[in-house]
């Protein structure tokens, strides 16, 4: 058996807005309910994880996984500017305690795309005050929860807006976006509505990088100085145009954040596919390749390529904080995991410091504007009854996690 290093983290991830349900004070809830909207459906109860977290964490542990990556929700913790909910902070203490009770290591994300609606009304991340507001939240969360947190990341994929700038056709009408924003602003009684997906990507990046460093320091000054990193969206950039174009994309969409990660305690890598870069923008998938429910090329080898690229740039340990595939065919998920992990094994064999693999996602959930159709889960969720059903891929990853090793290839 090809073994993984001792203490390797094996986990699954979720994000508050995608699983908890009824995230009423968030900016995204507003956007889901205005007309027109980019969302194909609203999140509503999601997976009702807010009340079912204890069972879900026990399920994760029963699979054999030892790590749960989840986000705490700013919109719940600070539902009005400057008003912090002790009851909600206590809720997240119970979530963390449920992890420890089952010997599961909690990795907490402070910000996974959603913001309080009052923050959107101030212009979101484009507002120069955004960093101060975020750092105050980080400091408060750490003071209340820090003794139970094992690892944290400030932001989930803060480089995504820059990356989206490279997509040739996002398939959304700018008119719809403008009208959705105007209606959302009106709905919350503001003249602005700034949210993570819709802002000026460069301004957002400057504000968020500065906020990352300050929030990291704030979190580490709490009751316990746990490692704090940042999770970035990476793609395996393959050239179908000039090399300089790929380098320009990397310089824009990755390097400023890789530098920030390099000055942190670890880098979280999140990748799903390869991306061919053309003369000016990304190219669409090739015509003869297998596509996932997201329309991405089925490309598990992207993980190895992304780890190697990032490892050449950051001097800190690497955790895979998300990797997975949207498919109804669970056999393909197993194949995806098998090949992605073979890539992690190759990186380890070359001495790259990879310390964990956290799969996206623990369960089928709300895939943002695409709603509930894409299925990323190791566990299926019946949204009528909220019953959970472990998929074979969940058992497969759990089997590997328990042994801390890949199965022998057939015939050996
Ligand atoms: C995000 C998740 C999302 C996943 C699959 C990542 O970009 O962090 O929230 O569901 O990819 O698309």
């Amino acid at each position: 058996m090809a073994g993984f290093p001792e203490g390797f983290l094996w986990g699954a991830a979720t994000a508050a807005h995608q699983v908890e349900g009824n995230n009423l004070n968030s900016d995204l809830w507003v956007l889901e309910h205005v007309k027109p909207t980019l969302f194909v459906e609203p999140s509503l109860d999601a997976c009702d994880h807010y009340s079912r977290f204890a069972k879900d964490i026990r399920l994760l542990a029963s699979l054999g996984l030892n790590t749960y990556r989840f986000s705490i929700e700013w919109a719940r913790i600070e539902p009005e500017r400057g008003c912090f909910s002790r009851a909600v902070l206590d809720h997240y203490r119970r979530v963390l305690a449920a992890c420890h009770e089952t010997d599961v290591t909690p990795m907490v994300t402070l910000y996974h795309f959603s913001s309080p609606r009052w923050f959107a009304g101030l212009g979101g991340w484009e507002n120069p005050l955004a960093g101060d507001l975020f750092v105050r939240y980080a400091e408060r969360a750490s003071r209340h929860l820090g003794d139970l947190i094992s690892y944290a990341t400030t932001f989930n994929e803060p480089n995504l807006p820059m990356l989206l700038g490279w997509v040739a056709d996002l398939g959304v009408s700018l008119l719809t976006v403008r009208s959705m924003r105007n209606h959302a602003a009106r709905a919350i009684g503001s003249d602005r509505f700034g949210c993570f997906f819709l802002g000026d990507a460069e301004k957002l990046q400057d504000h968020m990088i500065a906020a990352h460093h300050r929030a990291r320091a704030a979190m580490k000054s709490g009751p316990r100085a746990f490692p704090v990193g940042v999770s970035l969206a990476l793609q395996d950039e393959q050239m179908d145009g000039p090399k300089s174009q790929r380098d320009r994309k990397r310089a824009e969409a990755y390097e400023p954040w890789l530098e920030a990660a390099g000055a942190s305690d670890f880098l979280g890598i999140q990748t799903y596919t390869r991306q061919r870069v053309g003369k000016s923008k990304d190219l669409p998938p090739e015509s003869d390749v297998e596509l996932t429910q997201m329309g991405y090329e089925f490309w598990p080898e992207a993980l190895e390529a992304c780890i190697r690229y990032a490892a050449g740039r950051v001097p800190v340990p690497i955790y895979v904080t998300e990797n997975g595939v949207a498919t109804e065919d669970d056999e393909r998920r197993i194949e995806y995991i098998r090949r992605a992990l073979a890539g992690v094994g190759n990186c380890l064999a070359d001495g790259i410091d990879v310390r964990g693999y956290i799969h996206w996602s623990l369960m089928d959930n709300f895939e943002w504007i695409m709603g509930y159709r894409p299925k990323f889960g190791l566990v299926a969720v019946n949204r009528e009854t909220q019953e959970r059903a472990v998929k074979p891929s969940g058992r497969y990853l759990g089997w590997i996690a328990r042994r801390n090793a890949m199965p022998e290839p057939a015939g050996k």
Side-chain angles (χ1 to χ4, degrees), residues 275-316:
Q275 183 59 62
R276 294 178 311 133
V277 186
K279 286 198 184 66
S280 62
K281 293 266 180 187
D282 287 344
L283 296 173
E286 284 185 301
S287 53
D288 51 348
V289 297
E290 178 181 349
L291 298 183
T292 73
Q293 285 179 309
M294 300 295 284
Y296 304 158
E297 293 187 34
F298 182 94
W299 207 272
E301 286 69 27
L303 185 55
E304 176 172 352
C306 289
I307 294 174
R308 288 185 188 280
Y309 161 64
R313 276 166 176 71
V314 297
V316 291

Side-chain angles (χ1 to χ4, degrees), residues 18 112-113 156-157 270 272 294 322 360 367-368 376:
Q18 294 177 273
H112 196 125
F113 299 164
N156 179 73
E157 302 189 346
Q270 316 204 149
Y272 290 86
M294 300 295 284
E322 280 185 28
W360 184 270
E367 181 55 29
W368 311 112
F376 276 100

Side-chain angles (χ1 to χ4, degrees), residues 325-339:
V325 60
T327 176
E328 288 282 359
D329 180 354
D330 199 52
E331 286 293 315
R332 298 307 289 150
R333 190 176 341 272
I334 291 175
E335 175 66 3
Y336 189 97
I337 294 173
R338 189 184 68 73
R339 282 162 50 185

